[in-house]
Amino acid sequence: MTNKILTAFFLIATFLGAQTPALRPGEGLTVINHAGEVKEWGNVSALTPMGNLAKLLWLHLEAEEWESAGVEYRCSGELNGIRCAKKHGRVDLTKSFKEDCNTSFYLWVNLSRERWKKDYKDAGARLRLNNVFGVFLGDRLPKEPALPDKFGSEWFNDGNLLQASPNLLASWLARPAQERLLRACRKFLLGFTDFAFGKDDKWWIKVSVAPTGLQDGQTQFWVVGSNASNIAVLRLPPGDTEKIAQSRFKALLNIK
């Protein structure tokens, strides 16, 4: 670990250890450092839908395959009932993940489904799926058929199928098996120059919207971020904006 990384780790550890973050009602924050030490504040255990954060699970499974294939798509804002918040135009994997393009993910995950069925057959494909998604599925996936006929928006954007809490997601991201995923997120969200030549203590930050799981149609924001020393997951209560979510994450973690 370089002196700069040690300094960054010391600063954030001192900040988080010296005081209790001033969380608002309904917020939950989990921070895990790269030594495996966990700090938690607020509502970190309740399960709620993951929303767009489910795209992280697909990156774990398919990012290398999709990148090597050079996937691209022209988003017009809608595809087979799957909708985006805007027309993204031409997207590659980096832009799709940064801007939460649902139509491109719908296309790519279902192309992957067909490849899984061919390469692994139904039983092997379901095992592959459960190895990554199982902890977030609980008992909500029917035993039959082995795979859904189509992966709809509940698999990467919407609905109550995939659920997490700040401590569950942070613990999953902190596993050694996620090192490639964390590197991919850093590259996608900071850009290649920062990924290759930037400071390791610089945070990448992903803000994502999700349903609350209630019947009122409300949404809430999650923020996930990491640097060379820490992984952090913040869930905010309904009613905040994307801008507020990002500023809260930076304020709580003392990110300049």
Side-chain angles (χ1 to χ4, degrees), residues 179-221:
E179 288 184 6
R180 285 189 300 179
L181 169 63
L182 295 176
R183 287 199 300 270
C185 289
R186 182 177 181 84
K187 181 172 68 174
F188 294 159
L189 296 171
L190 293 182
F192 180 78
T193 300
D194 270 327
F195 168 72
F197 307 111
K199 296 179 180 179
D200 289 337
D201 60 339
K202 185 172 183 177
W203 285 80
W204 61 261
I205 298 172
K206 173 68 173 172
V207 183
S208 291
V209 68
T212 62
L214 303 176
Q215 298 300 315
D216 56 8
Q218 283 188 311
T219 59
Q220 61 188 159
F221 281 94

Side-chain angles (χ1 to χ4, degrees), residues 24-224:
R24 302 172 303 166
E27 290 182 332
L29 174 64
T30 296
V31 180
I32 302 179
N33 68 28
H34 284 197
E37 298 171 317
V38 182
K39 290 184 179 291
E40 298 180 324
W41 300 269
N43 181 17
V44 297
S45 298
L47 294 172
T48 61
M50 296 180 70
N52 279 315
L53 283 182
K55 293 183 173 72
L56 289 168
L57 311 185
W58 288 103
L59 289 187
H60 170 93
L61 274 173
E62 294 293 277
E64 287 189 351
E65 181 72 26
W66 291 346
E67 275 201 290
S68 65
V71 291
E72 286 191 347
Y73 176 70
R74 182 171 294 280
C75 171
S76 62
E78 190 275 336
L79 176 65
N80 292 348
I82 305 298
R83 289 180 171 78
C84 291
K86 66 176 184 178
K87 296 180 180 180
H88 293 101
R90 177 69 64 182
V91 298
D92 57 8
L93 182 56
T94 297
K95 184 176 179 181
S96 175
F97 180 62
K98 287 180 68 173
E99 299 187 11
D100 281 321
C101 178
N102 298 322
T103 58
S104 58
F105 261 78
Y106 170 74
L107 177 65
W108 298 336
V109 301
N110 281 293
L111 288 174
S112 291
R113 176 190 175 278
E114 295 307 310
R115 177 169 50 81
W116 295 357
K117 285 175 68 69
K118 179 181 178 181
D119 292 348
Y120 309 116
K121 309 306 179 187
D122 282 353
R126 185 179 177 105
L127 179 62
R128 179 180 172 86
L129 187 71
N130 277 333
N131 282 342
V132 174
F133 286 78
V135 67
F136 305 105
L137 280 168
D139 59 359
R140 290 178 294 278
L141 182 64
K143 292 184 178 180
E144 297 294 339
L147 286 179
D149 292 336
K150 284 282 186 182
F151 287 122
S153 60
E154 69 275 12
W155 285 94
F156 50 83
N157 164 248
D158 206 357
N160 299 328
L161 180 65
L162 296 165
Q163 299 186 16
S165 62
N167 58 12
L168 177 62
L169 183 56
S171 297
W172 184 80
L173 287 169
R175 294 176 182 177
Q178 311 311 337
E179 288 184 6
R180 285 189 300 179
L181 169 63
L182 295 176
R183 287 199 300 270
C185 289
R186 182 177 181 84
K187 181 172 68 174
F188 294 159
L189 296 171
L190 293 182
F192 180 78
T193 300
D194 270 327
F195 168 72
F197 307 111
K199 296 179 180 179
D200 289 337
D201 60 339
K202 185 172 183 177
W203 285 80
W204 61 261
I205 298 172
K206 173 68 173 172
V207 183
S208 291
V209 68
T212 62
L214 303 176
Q215 298 300 315
D216 56 8
Q218 283 188 311
T219 59
Q220 61 188 159
F221 281 94
W222 295 70
V223 191
V224 177

Side-chain angles (χ1 to χ4, degrees), residues 228-250:
S229 305
N230 301 276
I231 294 165
V233 179
L234 172 67
R235 181 175 58 196
L236 294 95
D240 286 329
T241 63
E242 181 176 354
K243 184 176 181 180
I244 290 173
Q246 180 155 298
S247 65
R248 287 292 296 156
F249 186 83
K250 289 182 175 180

